Amino acid sequence: DGLTDCADSDCSFDASCASLTCPNYDLGTMTGTSLMNGDLSGAMVDQFEASCLGSTSATGEDYIIAWEASESGCATFETSGSMNAVLALFDSCPDNGGLEIACQDGSGNNAILDFDVTAGAVYYLGLDTYNSSSTYGLDINIEANISCN
């Protein structure tokens, strides 16, 4: 309908629809390309510091995105766009004591994180960047019954 209505599937991932508490978005069991697109300008809280950052830091606000694995196998979380993204995977919301279980600091404008997932488990994907005005696209895919290793 052209209006930002958080109940509509065409704009439910708009920055104005982000929850103020973790998780900011819930993708359910969605997989595919460009599940979410945008920037981090609507993020309101810095919820984590990724362990893979080394000596530099992706400072500022970020998003935590809940996602449930529909099947077991190797899940690939990938960003595209102009954002120099950092992806971190948690077993629960970081502000509720969730532990980081995987991390990938993107090379250039892409971050690719592969992780073995279990069907029915909920994972919390942290999305951060060095520049909040840059744009991203988020893809999630699973290769069923295949290990990432």
Short mmCIF file of all heavy atoms in Angstrom, two decimals, residues 1-67:
data_model
loop_
_atom_site.label_atom_id
_atom_site.label_comp_id
_atom_site.label_asym_id
_atom_site.label_seq_id
_atom_site.Cartn_x
_atom_site.Cartn_y
_atom_site.Cartn_z
N ASP A 1 0.80 -1.20 0.00
CA ASP A 1 0.00 0.00 0.00
C ASP A 1 0.85 1.27 0.00
O ASP A 1 0.32 2.37 0.05
CB ASP A 1 -0.96 -0.02 1.19
CG ASP A 1 -0.26 -0.11 2.55
OD1 ASP A 1 0.97 0.09 2.63
OD2 ASP A 1 -0.96 -0.36 3.54
N GLY A 2 2.19 1.13 0.01
CA GLY A 2 3.08 2.28 -0.04
C GLY A 2 3.35 2.94 1.30
O GLY A 2 4.15 3.84 1.40
N LEU A 3 2.67 2.50 2.35
CA LEU A 3 2.85 3.07 3.67
C LEU A 3 3.72 2.15 4.51
O LEU A 3 3.70 0.93 4.35
CB LEU A 3 1.50 3.28 4.36
CG LEU A 3 0.49 4.18 3.63
CD1 LEU A 3 -0.85 4.18 4.36
CD2 LEU A 3 1.04 5.59 3.52
N THR A 4 4.49 2.74 5.45
CA THR A 4 5.29 1.92 6.36
C THR A 4 4.37 1.43 7.47
O THR A 4 3.96 2.19 8.33
CB THR A 4 6.46 2.73 6.95
OG1 THR A 4 7.28 3.16 5.87
CG2 THR A 4 7.28 1.88 7.91
N ASP A 5 4.02 0.17 7.39
CA ASP A 5 3.15 -0.48 8.36
C ASP A 5 3.88 -1.75 8.79
O ASP A 5 4.03 -2.67 7.99
CB ASP A 5 1.81 -0.80 7.71
CG ASP A 5 0.88 -1.59 8.62
OD1 ASP A 5 1.25 -1.91 9.75
OD2 ASP A 5 -0.23 -1.89 8.16
N CYS A 6 4.34 -1.80 10.00
CA CYS A 6 5.20 -2.88 10.46
C CYS A 6 4.53 -4.25 10.39
O CYS A 6 5.20 -5.28 10.44
CB CYS A 6 5.71 -2.59 11.86
SG CYS A 6 6.71 -1.08 11.93
N ALA A 7 3.22 -4.29 10.25
CA ALA A 7 2.51 -5.57 10.13
C ALA A 7 2.53 -6.09 8.70
O ALA A 7 2.24 -7.26 8.46
CB ALA A 7 1.07 -5.43 10.61
N ASP A 8 2.86 -5.23 7.72
CA ASP A 8 2.92 -5.65 6.33
C ASP A 8 4.26 -6.31 6.04
O ASP A 8 5.31 -5.80 6.44
CB ASP A 8 2.77 -4.45 5.38
CG ASP A 8 1.36 -3.88 5.36
OD1 ASP A 8 0.45 -4.56 5.86
OD2 ASP A 8 1.20 -2.76 4.85
N SER A 9 4.25 -7.41 5.31
CA SER A 9 5.49 -8.11 5.00
C SER A 9 6.42 -7.29 4.12
O SER A 9 7.63 -7.47 4.14
CB SER A 9 5.19 -9.46 4.35
OG SER A 9 4.52 -9.26 3.12
N ASP A 10 5.87 -6.35 3.35
CA ASP A 10 6.71 -5.57 2.44
C ASP A 10 7.53 -4.50 3.16
O ASP A 10 8.46 -3.94 2.58
CB ASP A 10 5.90 -4.94 1.31
CG ASP A 10 4.85 -3.96 1.79
OD1 ASP A 10 4.43 -4.03 2.96
OD2 ASP A 10 4.44 -3.11 0.99
N CYS A 11 7.23 -4.22 4.42
CA CYS A 11 8.03 -3.21 5.12
C CYS A 11 8.28 -3.57 6.58
O CYS A 11 8.72 -2.73 7.37
CB CYS A 11 7.42 -1.83 5.01
SG CYS A 11 5.72 -1.71 5.55
N SER A 12 8.05 -4.82 6.97
CA SER A 12 8.24 -5.21 8.36
C SER A 12 9.70 -5.15 8.79
O SER A 12 9.99 -5.13 9.98
CB SER A 12 7.67 -6.61 8.61
OG SER A 12 8.33 -7.55 7.80
N PHE A 13 10.65 -5.10 7.83
CA PHE A 13 12.06 -4.98 8.18
C PHE A 13 12.57 -3.57 7.96
O PHE A 13 13.77 -3.33 7.93
CB PHE A 13 12.89 -6.01 7.40
CG PHE A 13 12.50 -7.42 7.75
CD1 PHE A 13 12.05 -8.29 6.77
CD2 PHE A 13 12.56 -7.88 9.05
CE1 PHE A 13 11.67 -9.59 7.09
CE2 PHE A 13 12.19 -9.17 9.39
CZ PHE A 13 11.75 -10.02 8.40
N ASP A 14 11.66 -2.61 7.81
CA ASP A 14 12.02 -1.21 7.73
C ASP A 14 12.65 -0.80 9.06
O ASP A 14 12.26 -1.28 10.13
CB ASP A 14 10.78 -0.37 7.45
CG ASP A 14 11.10 1.08 7.20
OD1 ASP A 14 11.34 1.42 6.03
OD2 ASP A 14 11.11 1.86 8.18
N ALA A 15 13.63 0.11 9.02
CA ALA A 15 14.32 0.54 10.24
C ALA A 15 13.35 1.07 11.30
O ALA A 15 13.56 0.88 12.49
CB ALA A 15 15.36 1.59 9.90
N SER A 16 12.27 1.68 10.88
CA SER A 16 11.30 2.22 11.85
C SER A 16 10.51 1.12 12.55
O SER A 16 9.84 1.38 13.54
CB SER A 16 10.35 3.19 11.16
OG SER A 16 9.56 2.53 10.20
N CYS A 17 10.62 -0.12 12.06
CA CYS A 17 9.90 -1.24 12.66
C CYS A 17 10.78 -2.07 13.61
O CYS A 17 10.30 -3.04 14.19
CB CYS A 17 9.33 -2.15 11.58
SG CYS A 17 8.08 -1.34 10.55
N ALA A 18 12.04 -1.70 13.75
CA ALA A 18 12.95 -2.47 14.62
C ALA A 18 12.49 -2.38 16.07
O ALA A 18 12.14 -1.31 16.56
CB ALA A 18 14.37 -1.94 14.49
N SER A 19 12.50 -3.52 16.75
CA SER A 19 12.20 -3.55 18.17
C SER A 19 13.32 -2.85 18.92
O SER A 19 14.48 -2.90 18.52
CB SER A 19 12.09 -5.00 18.64
OG SER A 19 12.01 -5.06 20.05
N LEU A 20 12.99 -2.21 20.01
CA LEU A 20 14.01 -1.54 20.81
C LEU A 20 14.74 -2.50 21.74
O LEU A 20 15.74 -2.14 22.36
CB LEU A 20 13.38 -0.41 21.62
CG LEU A 20 12.75 0.71 20.80
CD1 LEU A 20 12.12 1.76 21.70
CD2 LEU A 20 13.79 1.35 19.87
N THR A 21 14.25 -3.74 21.84
CA THR A 21 14.89 -4.75 22.66
C THR A 21 15.31 -5.92 21.78
O THR A 21 14.81 -6.09 20.67
CB THR A 21 13.94 -5.25 23.77
OG1 THR A 21 12.77 -5.81 23.17
CG2 THR A 21 13.54 -4.12 24.71
N CYS A 22 16.21 -6.73 22.29
CA CYS A 22 16.72 -7.88 21.54
C CYS A 22 15.67 -8.99 21.51
O CYS A 22 15.05 -9.27 22.54
CB CYS A 22 17.99 -8.38 22.21
SG CYS A 22 18.79 -9.75 21.36
N PRO A 23 15.45 -9.60 20.35
CA PRO A 23 16.02 -9.27 19.05
C PRO A 23 15.29 -8.09 18.41
O PRO A 23 14.10 -7.89 18.62
CB PRO A 23 15.81 -10.55 18.24
CG PRO A 23 14.54 -11.13 18.80
CD PRO A 23 14.57 -10.78 20.27
N ASN A 24 16.04 -7.34 17.60
CA ASN A 24 15.44 -6.21 16.90
C ASN A 24 14.50 -6.67 15.80
O ASN A 24 13.51 -6.01 15.51
CB ASN A 24 16.52 -5.31 16.30
CG ASN A 24 17.50 -4.84 17.35
OD1 ASN A 24 18.66 -5.24 17.31
ND2 ASN A 24 17.05 -4.03 18.29
N TYR A 25 14.84 -7.80 15.19
CA TYR A 25 14.01 -8.40 14.14
C TYR A 25 13.98 -9.91 14.36
O TYR A 25 14.91 -10.48 14.92
CB TYR A 25 14.60 -8.14 12.73
CG TYR A 25 14.63 -6.70 12.34
CD1 TYR A 25 15.83 -5.99 12.40
CD2 TYR A 25 13.49 -6.05 11.90
CE1 TYR A 25 15.87 -4.65 12.03
CE2 TYR A 25 13.54 -4.71 11.52
CZ TYR A 25 14.73 -4.02 11.60
OH TYR A 25 14.77 -2.70 11.23
N ASP A 26 12.93 -10.55 13.88
CA ASP A 26 12.81 -12.01 13.95
C ASP A 26 12.47 -12.51 12.55
O ASP A 26 11.38 -12.24 12.04
CB ASP A 26 11.74 -12.42 14.94
CG ASP A 26 11.71 -13.91 15.21
OD1 ASP A 26 12.21 -14.70 14.36
OD2 ASP A 26 11.18 -14.31 16.26
N LEU A 27 13.40 -13.24 11.94
CA LEU A 27 13.19 -13.76 10.59
C LEU A 27 12.46 -15.09 10.58
O LEU A 27 12.17 -15.62 9.50
CB LEU A 27 14.53 -13.92 9.87
CG LEU A 27 15.28 -12.64 9.54
CD1 LEU A 27 16.63 -12.97 8.91
CD2 LEU A 27 14.47 -11.77 8.60
N GLY A 28 12.18 -15.66 11.75
CA GLY A 28 11.57 -16.99 11.76
C GLY A 28 12.51 -17.97 11.09
O GLY A 28 13.70 -18.00 11.38
N THR A 29 12.00 -18.77 10.17
CA THR A 29 12.82 -19.77 9.46
C THR A 29 13.15 -19.34 8.04
O THR A 29 13.53 -20.17 7.21
CB THR A 29 12.11 -21.13 9.44
OG1 THR A 29 10.84 -20.98 8.79
CG2 THR A 29 11.90 -21.69 10.84
N MET A 30 13.01 -18.06 7.74
CA MET A 30 13.24 -17.58 6.37
C MET A 30 14.66 -17.85 5.90
O MET A 30 15.61 -17.71 6.67
CB MET A 30 12.99 -16.06 6.29
CG MET A 30 11.55 -15.65 6.48
SD MET A 30 11.33 -13.84 6.57
CE MET A 30 12.04 -13.30 5.02
N THR A 31 14.79 -18.26 4.64
CA THR A 31 16.09 -18.37 3.99
C THR A 31 15.97 -17.75 2.60
O THR A 31 14.86 -17.59 2.08
CB THR A 31 16.57 -19.84 3.85
OG1 THR A 31 15.60 -20.58 3.11
CG2 THR A 31 16.80 -20.48 5.21
N GLY A 32 17.10 -17.43 2.01
CA GLY A 32 17.10 -16.88 0.66
C GLY A 32 17.98 -15.66 0.56
O GLY A 32 18.73 -15.33 1.48
N THR A 33 17.87 -14.97 -0.56
CA THR A 33 18.69 -13.79 -0.79
C THR A 33 17.92 -12.52 -0.47
O THR A 33 16.69 -12.49 -0.58
CB THR A 33 19.17 -13.73 -2.26
OG1 THR A 33 18.04 -13.73 -3.12
CG2 THR A 33 20.07 -14.91 -2.59
N SER A 34 18.64 -11.52 -0.06
CA SER A 34 18.09 -10.19 0.25
C SER A 34 16.89 -10.28 1.20
O SER A 34 15.86 -9.64 0.98
CB SER A 34 17.71 -9.45 -1.03
OG SER A 34 18.86 -9.18 -1.79
N LEU A 35 17.03 -11.06 2.28
CA LEU A 35 15.96 -11.16 3.26
C LEU A 35 15.71 -9.83 3.94
O LEU A 35 14.59 -9.48 4.27
CB LEU A 35 16.29 -12.22 4.32
CG LEU A 35 16.45 -13.64 3.82
CD1 LEU A 35 16.86 -14.56 4.95
CD2 LEU A 35 15.16 -14.13 3.18
N MET A 36 16.80 -9.12 4.17
CA MET A 36 16.73 -7.78 4.74
C MET A 36 17.66 -6.89 3.93
O MET A 36 18.71 -7.34 3.48
CB MET A 36 17.16 -7.77 6.20
CG MET A 36 16.24 -8.51 7.14
SD MET A 36 16.84 -8.50 8.84
CE MET A 36 16.77 -6.76 9.25
N ASN A 37 17.29 -5.64 3.77
CA ASN A 37 18.11 -4.65 3.08
C ASN A 37 17.98 -3.34 3.82
O ASN A 37 16.91 -3.04 4.35
CB ASN A 37 17.64 -4.44 1.64
CG ASN A 37 17.83 -5.66 0.79
OD1 ASN A 37 18.93 -5.97 0.39
ND2 ASN A 37 16.74 -6.38 0.53
N GLY A 38 19.05 -2.56 3.85
CA GLY A 38 18.95 -1.26 4.48
C GLY A 38 20.27 -0.79 5.03
O GLY A 38 21.33 -1.12 4.50
N ASP A 39 20.19 -0.02 6.12
CA ASP A 39 21.38 0.44 6.81
C ASP A 39 21.10 0.36 8.31
O ASP A 39 20.05 -0.09 8.72
CB ASP A 39 21.77 1.86 6.38
CG ASP A 39 20.67 2.87 6.62
OD1 ASP A 39 19.98 2.79 7.66
OD2 ASP A 39 20.50 3.77 5.79
N LEU A 40 22.06 0.77 9.11
CA LEU A 40 21.90 0.68 10.56
C LEU A 40 21.48 2.00 11.18
O LEU A 40 21.55 2.18 12.39
CB LEU A 40 23.19 0.18 11.21
CG LEU A 40 23.63 -1.22 10.82
CD1 LEU A 40 24.87 -1.63 11.59
CD2 LEU A 40 22.53 -2.24 11.02
N SER A 41 21.01 2.94 10.38
CA SER A 41 20.64 4.26 10.90
C SER A 41 19.48 4.17 11.90
O SER A 41 19.33 5.05 12.74
CB SER A 41 20.28 5.21 9.76
OG SER A 41 19.15 4.74 9.05
N GLY A 42 18.67 3.13 11.83
CA GLY A 42 17.56 2.98 12.77
C GLY A 42 17.92 2.21 14.02
O GLY A 42 17.13 2.11 14.95
N ALA A 43 19.13 1.66 14.08
CA ALA A 43 19.56 0.92 15.27
C ALA A 43 19.73 1.89 16.43
O ALA A 43 20.31 2.96 16.27
CB ALA A 43 20.86 0.17 14.98
N MET A 44 19.22 1.52 17.59
CA MET A 44 19.20 2.44 18.72
C MET A 44 20.20 2.11 19.82
O MET A 44 20.49 2.95 20.65
CB MET A 44 17.79 2.47 19.33
CG MET A 44 16.69 2.83 18.33
SD MET A 44 16.92 4.44 17.57
CE MET A 44 16.45 5.50 18.88
N VAL A 45 20.74 0.89 19.84
CA VAL A 45 21.57 0.45 20.97
C VAL A 45 22.78 -0.31 20.45
O VAL A 45 22.68 -1.05 19.47
CB VAL A 45 20.75 -0.47 21.91
CG1 VAL A 45 21.58 -0.94 23.08
CG2 VAL A 45 19.50 0.22 22.41
N ASP A 46 23.92 -0.14 21.13
CA ASP A 46 25.11 -0.95 20.85
C ASP A 46 25.00 -2.18 21.74
O ASP A 46 25.21 -2.11 22.94
CB ASP A 46 26.38 -0.15 21.16
CG ASP A 46 27.64 -0.87 20.73
OD1 ASP A 46 27.54 -1.93 20.08
OD2 ASP A 46 28.73 -0.39 21.06
N GLN A 47 24.66 -3.34 21.14
CA GLN A 47 24.32 -4.53 21.91
C GLN A 47 25.47 -5.52 22.07
O GLN A 47 25.40 -6.42 22.89
CB GLN A 47 23.14 -5.25 21.25
CG GLN A 47 21.93 -4.34 21.15
CD GLN A 47 20.82 -4.97 20.36
OE1 GLN A 47 20.03 -5.73 20.90
NE2 GLN A 47 20.76 -4.67 19.07
N PHE A 48 26.55 -5.36 21.27
CA PHE A 48 27.66 -6.31 21.37
C PHE A 48 28.92 -5.71 20.77
O PHE A 48 28.87 -4.78 19.98
CB PHE A 48 27.32 -7.63 20.66
CG PHE A 48 27.25 -7.53 19.16
CD1 PHE A 48 28.35 -7.83 18.38
CD2 PHE A 48 26.08 -7.12 18.53
CE1 PHE A 48 28.29 -7.73 16.98
CE2 PHE A 48 26.01 -7.02 17.14
CZ PHE A 48 27.12 -7.32 16.37
N GLU A 49 30.05 -6.26 21.17
CA GLU A 49 31.34 -5.99 20.55
C GLU A 49 31.86 -7.34 20.08
O GLU A 49 32.13 -8.22 20.89
CB GLU A 49 32.32 -5.36 21.55
CG GLU A 49 31.95 -3.94 21.94
CD GLU A 49 31.98 -2.96 20.77
OE1 GLU A 49 32.85 -3.09 19.89
OE2 GLU A 49 31.11 -2.08 20.74
N ALA A 50 31.98 -7.51 18.80
CA ALA A 50 32.38 -8.80 18.22
C ALA A 50 33.83 -9.12 18.55
O ALA A 50 34.69 -8.24 18.53
CB ALA A 50 32.17 -8.77 16.71
N SER A 51 34.10 -10.38 18.83
CA SER A 51 35.44 -10.81 19.21
C SER A 51 36.42 -10.81 18.05
O SER A 51 37.62 -10.77 18.26
CB SER A 51 35.39 -12.21 19.81
OG SER A 51 35.01 -13.15 18.81
N CYS A 52 35.94 -10.81 16.82
CA CYS A 52 36.82 -10.93 15.66
C CYS A 52 37.29 -9.59 15.12
O CYS A 52 37.90 -9.52 14.06
CB CYS A 52 36.11 -11.72 14.55
SG CYS A 52 34.56 -10.98 14.00
N LEU A 53 37.07 -8.51 15.84
CA LEU A 53 37.41 -7.19 15.34
C LEU A 53 38.90 -6.89 15.38
O LEU A 53 39.35 -6.01 14.67
CB LEU A 53 36.65 -6.11 16.11
CG LEU A 53 35.16 -6.09 15.87
CD1 LEU A 53 34.51 -5.03 16.74
CD2 LEU A 53 34.84 -5.85 14.41
N GLY A 54 39.67 -7.56 16.21
CA GLY A 54 41.09 -7.26 16.29
C GLY A 54 41.31 -5.94 16.99
O GLY A 54 40.67 -5.64 17.99
N SER A 55 42.18 -5.10 16.43
CA SER A 55 42.54 -3.85 17.10
C SER A 55 41.59 -2.70 16.77
O SER A 55 41.65 -1.66 17.40
CB SER A 55 43.97 -3.45 16.72
OG SER A 55 44.04 -3.22 15.32
N THR A 56 40.74 -2.86 15.77
CA THR A 56 39.79 -1.80 15.44
C THR A 56 38.41 -2.20 15.92
O THR A 56 38.16 -3.34 16.25
CB THR A 56 39.74 -1.55 13.92
OG1 THR A 56 39.34 -2.75 13.27
CG2 THR A 56 41.09 -1.09 13.40
N SER A 57 37.53 -1.27 15.94
CA SER A 57 36.20 -1.55 16.48
C SER A 57 35.10 -1.02 15.59
O SER A 57 35.18 0.10 15.10
CB SER A 57 36.07 -0.92 17.88
OG SER A 57 34.81 -1.17 18.41
N ALA A 58 34.09 -1.84 15.40
CA ALA A 58 32.86 -1.38 14.75
C ALA A 58 32.04 -0.76 15.87
O ALA A 58 31.43 -1.46 16.66
CB ALA A 58 32.13 -2.54 14.10
N THR A 59 32.12 0.54 15.96
CA THR A 59 31.48 1.22 17.08
C THR A 59 30.07 1.60 16.73
O THR A 59 29.69 1.67 15.57
CB THR A 59 32.27 2.49 17.45
OG1 THR A 59 32.31 3.34 16.31
CG2 THR A 59 33.67 2.14 17.90
N GLY A 60 29.30 1.87 17.75
CA GLY A 60 27.97 2.37 17.53
C GLY A 60 26.91 1.28 17.56
O GLY A 60 27.14 0.14 17.95
N GLU A 61 25.74 1.66 17.11
CA GLU A 61 24.57 0.82 17.21
C GLU A 61 24.62 -0.33 16.21
O GLU A 61 25.27 -0.26 15.18
CB GLU A 61 23.32 1.67 17.01
CG GLU A 61 23.07 2.64 18.14
CD GLU A 61 24.04 3.82 18.17
OE1 GLU A 61 24.66 4.12 17.13
OE2 GLU A 61 24.20 4.40 19.25
N ASP A 62 23.89 -1.39 16.54
CA ASP A 62 23.85 -2.59 15.71
C ASP A 62 22.49 -3.24 15.84
O ASP A 62 21.65 -2.80 16.61
CB ASP A 62 24.98 -3.55 16.13
CG ASP A 62 25.08 -3.68 17.65
OD1 ASP A 62 24.06 -3.99 18.31
OD2 ASP A 62 26.18 -3.47 18.18
N TYR A 63 22.27 -4.28 15.05
CA TYR A 63 21.04 -5.05 15.11
C TYR A 63 21.34 -6.48 15.57
O TYR A 63 22.39 -7.03 15.23
CB TYR A 63 20.37 -5.16 13.73
CG TYR A 63 19.67 -3.91 13.25
CD1 TYR A 63 19.77 -3.52 11.93
CD2 TYR A 63 18.89 -3.15 14.10
CE1 TYR A 63 19.12 -2.39 11.47
CE2 TYR A 63 18.24 -2.01 13.64
CZ TYR A 63 18.35 -1.64 12.33
OH TYR A 63 17.71 -0.52 11.88
N ILE A 64 20.39 -7.06 16.28
CA ILE A 64 20.38 -8.48 16.59
C ILE A 64 19.14 -9.06 15.91
O ILE A 64 18.03 -8.58 16.10
CB ILE A 64 20.32 -8.77 18.10
CG1 ILE A 64 21.51 -8.15 18.83
CG2 ILE A 64 20.23 -10.28 18.35
CD1 ILE A 64 22.84 -8.82 18.55
N ILE A 65 19.37 -10.10 15.10
CA ILE A 65 18.31 -10.68 14.28
C ILE A 65 18.13 -12.14 14.69
O ILE A 65 19.07 -12.94 14.58
CB ILE A 65 18.68 -10.59 12.78
CG1 ILE A 65 18.94 -9.13 12.40
CG2 ILE A 65 17.60 -11.22 11.91
CD1 ILE A 65 19.82 -8.95 11.19
N ALA A 66 16.95 -12.50 15.18
CA ALA A 66 16.67 -13.89 15.55
C ALA A 66 16.36 -14.68 14.29
O ALA A 66 15.68 -14.19 13.37
CB ALA A 66 15.49 -13.96 16.52
N TRP A 67 16.86 -15.92 14.25
CA TRP A 67 16.62 -16.80 13.11
C TRP A 67 16.59 -18.24 13.60
O TRP A 67 17.45 -18.66 14.37
CB TRP A 67 17.70 -16.62 12.05
CG TRP A 67 17.58 -17.55 10.89
CD1 TRP A 67 16.70 -17.47 9.87
CD2 TRP A 67 18.35 -18.74 10.67
NE1 TRP A 67 16.87 -18.54 9.01
CE2 TRP A 67 17.89 -19.32 9.49
CE3 TRP A 67 19.39 -19.36 11.38
CZ2 TRP A 67 18.42 -20.51 8.98
CZ3 TRP A 67 19.91 -20.54 10.87
CH2 TRP A 67 19.44 -21.09 9.68
#
